[in-house]
Amino acid sequence: MLWRQKDSKTNFGDAQTKKEEKEDEMAQIWKGGPVASALNKDTALKVETLKKRGIHPALAIIRVGEKPDDISYENGACRRAEALGIAVFRFCLPADASERDVEETIDMAGEDPAIHGILLLRPLPRHMDEERLVGRIPAQKDVDGVTDLSLAGVFAGKALGFPPCTAQACMEVLRHYGVDCRGKRAVVVGRSLVVGRPVAMLLLGQNATVTICHTKTEDLPARVREGDIVIAAAGQRGMFGRQYFRPGQIVLDVGIHFDGEGKMCGDVLTKEAEELTEAVTPVPGGIGSVTTAVLMSHVAAAAERQETDRKTE
Ligand code: NDP
């Protein structure tokens, strides 16, 4: 689907109802579902082609403990992988496993040529040095984009590993809906290594002019209103209300929260953004729903790259 820019000069005829006028004034809701479907279709084709060449893409998921969030993410990833023909090896360690146990599991998956991608569910229990353990994942199998080398690749614009899935999910949404980032002002709120910084680099790579905002940014609403593209990744439920927006903006809501009634919501007050902006991604059903599709596309790409590397060794 291509981005249909609202035409402010449109002259509404008498026949057009008030309802239609109102609808036309509202932002488009850019759902993640169609983006994920398109990505999954490409991945399924790639997996099929790889299998014909005797390569069976496989993902290792390493989980420590029984956190419901981890289990639900893992189950979702398994279902998606299965649908795409990607094999999943689950390594489930008890919450009181030692750091050495996790290290050995990562090393084993790292050395196994039948495994192409490793997803280490985080945060790890507090008694473990997460940074050190993450660093043991070989970059070519780092399909979640968490190692220093993967991030270095994002910053240098080189395919050293893979970009963090959520950051890439934002770019996939923009691409799917036909946004040309070149010359656009992009404002990213959040500077974490998981979302804010990598998405800022990916936007820069697409020739956007990027501003990164954080808790020390002065007059945040004014900075955000400057953005043609806004990435809301502050991790603050409902923080972005109408004072942050203006007509013409594209707003991607990365936040994932649950309100008092257990309903999922994002960083953006969607209804308020909808009244002013050009397009906004919903929560749920927005960026989050693209993230797993990106992860699976990375597994297929990792399998292909590793095969090419083996041939050239
Ligand atoms: P972090 O908490 O690691 O980072 C939040 C960033 O936002 C920090 O840089 C922080 O600034 C900034 N920030 C926080 N509050 C404000 C504020 N009031 N004004 C300006 N800046 C602010 O979060 P993550 O990056 O890991 O995640 C962000 C959100 O994305 C979360 O809601 C998370 O649940 C969601 N998420 C969604 C995913 C998906 O698939 N959709 C995947 C991963 C995360 P400072 O550096 O100054 O502290």
mmCIF file of all heavy atoms in Angstrom, residues 166 189-192 194-196 213-216 220 233-236 239 254-257 267 287-288 291, ligand 1:
data_model
loop_
_atom_site.group_PDB
_atom_site.id
_atom_site.type_symbol
_atom_site.label_atom_id
_atom_site.label_comp_id
_atom_site.label_asym_id
_atom_site.label_seq_id
_atom_site.Cartn_x
_atom_site.Cartn_y
_atom_site.Cartn_z
ATOM 1 N N THR A 166 13.255 -4.558 16.269
ATOM 2 C CA THR A 166 12.239 -3.505 16.374
ATOM 3 C C THR A 166 12.634 -2.278 15.558
ATOM 4 O O THR A 166 11.789 -1.656 14.903
ATOM 5 C CB THR A 166 12.013 -3.134 17.845
ATOM 6 O OG1 THR A 166 11.689 -4.321 18.551
ATOM 7 C CG2 THR A 166 10.887 -2.130 18.000
ATOM 8 N N VAL A 189 12.357 9.655 19.677
ATOM 9 C CA VAL A 189 12.364 9.895 21.128
ATOM 10 C C VAL A 189 12.750 8.589 21.805
ATOM 11 O O VAL A 189 11.999 7.612 21.776
ATOM 12 C CB VAL A 189 11.012 10.403 21.641
ATOM 13 C CG1 VAL A 189 11.133 10.773 23.124
ATOM 14 C CG2 VAL A 189 10.547 11.609 20.837
ATOM 15 N N GLY A 190 13.937 8.591 22.404
ATOM 16 C CA GLY A 190 14.505 7.379 23.000
ATOM 17 C C GLY A 190 15.884 7.144 22.415
ATOM 18 O O GLY A 190 16.070 7.317 21.207
ATOM 19 N N ARG A 191 16.840 6.789 23.277
ATOM 20 C CA ARG A 191 18.211 6.571 22.779
ATOM 21 C C ARG A 191 18.771 5.235 23.269
ATOM 22 O O ARG A 191 19.986 5.106 23.471
ATOM 23 C CB ARG A 191 19.124 7.726 23.197
ATOM 24 C CG ARG A 191 19.160 7.962 24.694
ATOM 25 C CD ARG A 191 20.140 9.051 25.077
ATOM 26 N NE ARG A 191 19.892 9.527 26.425
ATOM 27 C CZ ARG A 191 20.629 10.447 27.027
ATOM 28 N NH1 ARG A 191 21.642 11.007 26.402
ATOM 29 N NH2 ARG A 191 20.335 10.835 28.261
ATOM 30 N N SER A 192 17.890 4.251 23.477
ATOM 31 C CA SER A 192 18.381 2.939 23.907
ATOM 32 C C SER A 192 19.055 2.253 22.720
ATOM 33 O O SER A 192 18.818 2.599 21.558
ATOM 34 C CB SER A 192 17.233 2.066 24.407
ATOM 35 O OG SER A 192 16.476 1.587 23.317
ATOM 36 N N VAL A 194 18.468 -0.718 21.931
ATOM 37 C CA VAL A 194 17.500 -1.675 21.378
ATOM 38 C C VAL A 194 16.648 -1.014 20.295
ATOM 39 O O VAL A 194 16.345 -1.602 19.264
ATOM 40 C CB VAL A 194 16.575 -2.220 22.498
ATOM 41 C CG1 VAL A 194 15.587 -3.243 21.965
ATOM 42 C CG2 VAL A 194 17.398 -2.827 23.616
ATOM 43 N N VAL A 195 16.245 0.238 20.552
ATOM 44 C CA VAL A 195 15.334 0.891 19.605
ATOM 45 C C VAL A 195 15.876 2.247 19.121
ATOM 46 O O VAL A 195 16.202 2.421 17.941
ATOM 47 C CB VAL A 195 13.927 1.113 20.212
ATOM 48 C CG1 VAL A 195 12.958 1.570 19.118
ATOM 49 C CG2 VAL A 195 13.375 -0.118 20.909
ATOM 50 N N GLY A 196 15.969 3.211 20.046
ATOM 51 C CA GLY A 196 16.211 4.604 19.649
ATOM 52 C C GLY A 196 17.432 4.821 18.771
ATOM 53 O O GLY A 196 17.317 5.336 17.652
ATOM 54 N N CYS A 213 15.990 12.437 20.682
ATOM 55 C CA CYS A 213 15.576 13.095 21.933
ATOM 56 C C CYS A 213 15.609 12.104 23.092
ATOM 57 O O CYS A 213 15.511 10.897 22.893
ATOM 58 C CB CYS A 213 14.163 13.651 21.788
ATOM 59 S SG CYS A 213 13.983 14.826 20.449
ATOM 60 N N HIS A 214 15.717 12.655 24.300
ATOM 61 C CA HIS A 214 15.817 11.808 25.509
ATOM 62 C C HIS A 214 15.317 12.625 26.693
ATOM 63 O O HIS A 214 14.734 13.707 26.500
ATOM 64 C CB HIS A 214 17.266 11.347 25.684
ATOM 65 C CG HIS A 214 18.265 12.433 25.468
ATOM 66 N ND1 HIS A 214 18.534 13.375 26.415
ATOM 67 C CD2 HIS A 214 18.997 12.744 24.370
ATOM 68 C CE1 HIS A 214 19.412 14.220 25.932
ATOM 69 N NE2 HIS A 214 19.711 13.870 24.693
ATOM 70 N N THR A 215 15.578 12.129 27.901
ATOM 71 C CA THR A 215 14.987 12.791 29.071
ATOM 72 C C THR A 215 15.558 14.197 29.327
ATOM 73 O O THR A 215 14.947 14.979 30.037
ATOM 74 C CB THR A 215 15.201 11.958 30.357
ATOM 75 O OG1 THR A 215 16.578 11.600 30.446
ATOM 76 C CG2 THR A 215 14.352 10.700 30.366
ATOM 77 N N LYS A 216 16.718 14.496 28.759
ATOM 78 C CA LYS A 216 17.314 15.823 28.996
ATOM 79 C C LYS A 216 16.994 16.799 27.851
ATOM 80 O O LYS A 216 17.446 17.936 27.870
ATOM 81 C CB LYS A 216 18.840 15.722 29.159
ATOM 82 C CG LYS A 216 19.307 14.678 30.177
ATOM 83 C CD LYS A 216 18.918 15.067 31.603
ATOM 84 C CE LYS A 216 19.390 14.036 32.619
ATOM 85 N NZ LYS A 216 18.677 12.756 32.562
ATOM 86 N N LEU A 220 10.533 19.221 24.622
ATOM 87 C CA LEU A 220 10.320 18.014 23.801
ATOM 88 C C LEU A 220 9.125 18.151 22.841
ATOM 89 O O LEU A 220 9.247 17.802 21.666
ATOM 90 C CB LEU A 220 10.166 16.787 24.703
ATOM 91 C CG LEU A 220 10.126 15.446 23.984
ATOM 92 C CD1 LEU A 220 11.443 15.125 23.292
ATOM 93 C CD2 LEU A 220 9.765 14.325 24.943
ATOM 94 N N ALA A 233 9.569 6.152 21.122
ATOM 95 C CA ALA A 233 10.160 4.968 21.783
ATOM 96 C C ALA A 233 10.724 5.375 23.138
ATOM 97 O O ALA A 233 11.861 5.061 23.475
ATOM 98 C CB ALA A 233 11.238 4.359 20.895
ATOM 99 N N ALA A 234 9.901 6.100 23.899
ATOM 100 C CA ALA A 234 10.343 6.565 25.228
ATOM 101 C C ALA A 234 10.011 5.535 26.305
ATOM 102 O O ALA A 234 10.538 5.597 27.410
ATOM 103 C CB ALA A 234 9.689 7.900 25.560
ATOM 104 N N GLY A 235 9.126 4.606 25.975
ATOM 105 C CA GLY A 235 8.729 3.613 26.973
ATOM 106 C C GLY A 235 7.894 4.236 28.089
ATOM 107 O O GLY A 235 7.940 3.793 29.232
ATOM 108 N N GLN A 236 7.105 5.293 27.750
ATOM 109 C CA GLN A 236 6.239 5.958 28.734
ATOM 110 C C GLN A 236 4.807 5.887 28.217
ATOM 111 O O GLN A 236 4.485 6.479 27.181
ATOM 112 C CB GLN A 236 6.634 7.435 28.905
ATOM 113 C CG GLN A 236 8.074 7.669 29.316
ATOM 114 C CD GLN A 236 8.358 7.222 30.731
ATOM 115 O OE1 GLN A 236 7.477 7.247 31.589
ATOM 116 N NE2 GLN A 236 9.575 6.792 30.978
ATOM 117 N N MET A 239 2.383 8.932 26.735
ATOM 118 C CA MET A 239 3.089 10.209 26.962
ATOM 119 C C MET A 239 2.830 11.236 25.853
ATOM 120 O O MET A 239 2.793 12.431 26.090
ATOM 121 C CB MET A 239 4.585 9.894 27.044
ATOM 122 C CG MET A 239 5.480 11.082 26.993
ATOM 123 S SD MET A 239 7.200 10.549 27.079
ATOM 124 C CE MET A 239 7.926 11.933 26.232
ATOM 125 N N VAL A 254 6.269 2.857 19.140
ATOM 126 C CA VAL A 254 7.016 1.633 19.453
ATOM 127 C C VAL A 254 6.647 1.089 20.838
ATOM 128 O O VAL A 254 6.806 -0.095 21.115
ATOM 129 C CB VAL A 254 8.542 1.915 19.361
ATOM 130 C CG1 VAL A 254 9.357 0.702 19.772
ATOM 131 C CG2 VAL A 254 8.924 2.340 17.951
ATOM 132 N N GLY A 255 6.135 1.944 21.687
ATOM 133 C CA GLY A 255 5.878 1.569 23.085
ATOM 134 C C GLY A 255 4.954 0.368 23.230
ATOM 135 O O GLY A 255 4.029 0.173 22.429
ATOM 136 N N ILE A 256 5.225 -0.429 24.246
ATOM 137 C CA ILE A 256 4.316 -1.540 24.588
ATOM 138 C C ILE A 256 4.050 -1.463 26.087
ATOM 139 O O ILE A 256 4.984 -1.560 26.891
ATOM 140 C CB ILE A 256 4.920 -2.921 24.249
ATOM 141 C CG1 ILE A 256 5.140 -3.048 22.746
ATOM 142 C CG2 ILE A 256 3.991 -4.037 24.745
ATOM 143 C CD1 ILE A 256 5.690 -4.397 22.316
ATOM 144 N N HIS A 257 2.797 -1.239 26.437
ATOM 145 C CA HIS A 257 2.408 -1.134 27.860
ATOM 146 C C HIS A 257 1.045 -1.787 28.029
ATOM 147 O O HIS A 257 0.358 -2.088 27.057
ATOM 148 C CB HIS A 257 2.284 0.345 28.269
ATOM 149 C CG HIS A 257 3.436 1.175 27.829
ATOM 150 N ND1 HIS A 257 4.610 1.259 28.527
ATOM 151 C CD2 HIS A 257 3.609 1.965 26.733
ATOM 152 C CE1 HIS A 257 5.445 2.054 27.901
ATOM 153 N NE2 HIS A 257 4.872 2.501 26.802
ATOM 154 N N ASP A 267 3.075 4.351 23.584
ATOM 155 C CA ASP A 267 3.565 5.635 24.091
ATOM 156 C C ASP A 267 2.652 6.781 23.640
ATOM 157 O O ASP A 267 2.638 7.855 24.242
ATOM 158 C CB ASP A 267 4.969 5.911 23.536
ATOM 159 C CG ASP A 267 6.070 5.198 24.314
ATOM 160 O OD1 ASP A 267 5.741 4.327 25.145
ATOM 161 O OD2 ASP A 267 7.251 5.516 24.092
ATOM 162 N N ILE A 287 3.854 -1.727 15.233
ATOM 163 C CA ILE A 287 5.266 -2.105 15.100
ATOM 164 C C ILE A 287 5.536 -3.491 15.702
ATOM 165 O O ILE A 287 6.258 -4.299 15.118
ATOM 166 C CB ILE A 287 6.172 -1.055 15.811
ATOM 167 C CG1 ILE A 287 5.944 0.344 15.218
ATOM 168 C CG2 ILE A 287 7.641 -1.457 15.740
ATOM 169 C CD1 ILE A 287 6.294 0.489 13.770
ATOM 170 N N GLY A 288 4.952 -3.758 16.861
ATOM 171 C CA GLY A 288 5.200 -5.033 17.550
ATOM 172 C C GLY A 288 4.880 -6.232 16.674
ATOM 173 O O GLY A 288 5.578 -7.241 16.708
ATOM 174 N N THR A 291 7.784 -7.128 14.321
ATOM 175 C CA THR A 291 9.077 -7.512 14.898
ATOM 176 C C THR A 291 9.400 -9.004 14.686
ATOM 177 O O THR A 291 10.517 -9.343 14.286
ATOM 178 C CB THR A 291 9.093 -7.152 16.404
ATOM 179 O OG1 THR A 291 8.802 -5.759 16.508
ATOM 180 C CG2 THR A 291 10.447 -7.399 17.024
HETATM 181 P P1 NDP B 1 14.393 2.186 27.477
HETATM 182 O O1 NDP B 1 13.698 2.403 28.776
HETATM 183 O O2 NDP B 1 15.655 1.397 27.437
HETATM 184 O O3 NDP B 1 14.711 3.595 26.809
HETATM 185 C C1 NDP B 1 13.790 4.634 26.834
HETATM 186 C C2 NDP B 1 14.412 5.854 26.216
HETATM 187 O O4 NDP B 1 13.432 6.864 26.180
HETATM 188 C C3 NDP B 1 15.613 6.400 26.982
HETATM 189 O O5 NDP B 1 16.598 6.808 26.074
HETATM 190 C C4 NDP B 1 15.035 7.586 27.730
HETATM 191 O O6 NDP B 1 15.936 8.692 27.860
HETATM 192 C C5 NDP B 1 13.895 8.034 26.838
HETATM 193 N N1 NDP B 1 12.833 8.617 27.631
HETATM 194 C C6 NDP B 1 12.157 8.046 28.640
HETATM 195 N N2 NDP B 1 11.249 8.923 29.153
HETATM 196 C C7 NDP B 1 11.371 10.054 28.438
HETATM 197 C C8 NDP B 1 10.742 11.317 28.492
HETATM 198 N N3 NDP B 1 9.801 11.579 29.385
HETATM 199 N N4 NDP B 1 11.118 12.254 27.607
HETATM 200 C C9 NDP B 1 12.082 11.997 26.694
HETATM 201 N N5 NDP B 1 12.719 10.824 26.595
HETATM 202 C C10 NDP B 1 12.372 9.858 27.452
HETATM 203 O O7 NDP B 1 13.300 1.537 26.521
HETATM 204 P P2 NDP B 1 13.471 0.708 25.148
HETATM 205 O O8 NDP B 1 14.164 1.539 24.141
HETATM 206 O O9 NDP B 1 13.972 -0.647 25.431
HETATM 207 O O10 NDP B 1 11.946 0.534 24.742
HETATM 208 C C11 NDP B 1 11.128 1.645 24.475
HETATM 209 C C12 NDP B 1 9.691 1.193 24.359
HETATM 210 O O11 NDP B 1 9.595 0.284 23.278
HETATM 211 C C13 NDP B 1 9.170 0.416 25.576
HETATM 212 O O12 NDP B 1 7.821 0.758 25.784
HETATM 213 C C14 NDP B 1 9.274 -1.036 25.151
HETATM 214 O O13 NDP B 1 8.302 -1.832 25.788
HETATM 215 C C15 NDP B 1 8.987 -0.926 23.696
HETATM 216 N N6 NDP B 1 9.560 -1.998 22.894
HETATM 217 C C16 NDP B 1 8.774 -2.448 21.899
HETATM 218 C C17 NDP B 1 9.211 -3.441 21.074
HETATM 219 C C18 NDP B 1 8.341 -3.863 19.933
HETATM 220 O O14 NDP B 1 8.582 -4.875 19.325
HETATM 221 N N7 NDP B 1 7.323 -3.046 19.590
HETATM 222 C C19 NDP B 1 10.498 -4.113 21.298
HETATM 223 C C20 NDP B 1 11.328 -3.448 22.275
HETATM 224 C C21 NDP B 1 10.836 -2.449 23.069
HETATM 225 P P3 NDP B 1 17.298 8.641 28.723
HETATM 226 O O15 NDP B 1 18.278 7.912 27.883
HETATM 227 O O16 NDP B 1 17.649 10.062 28.929
HETATM 228 O O17 NDP B 1 16.944 7.907 29.993
#
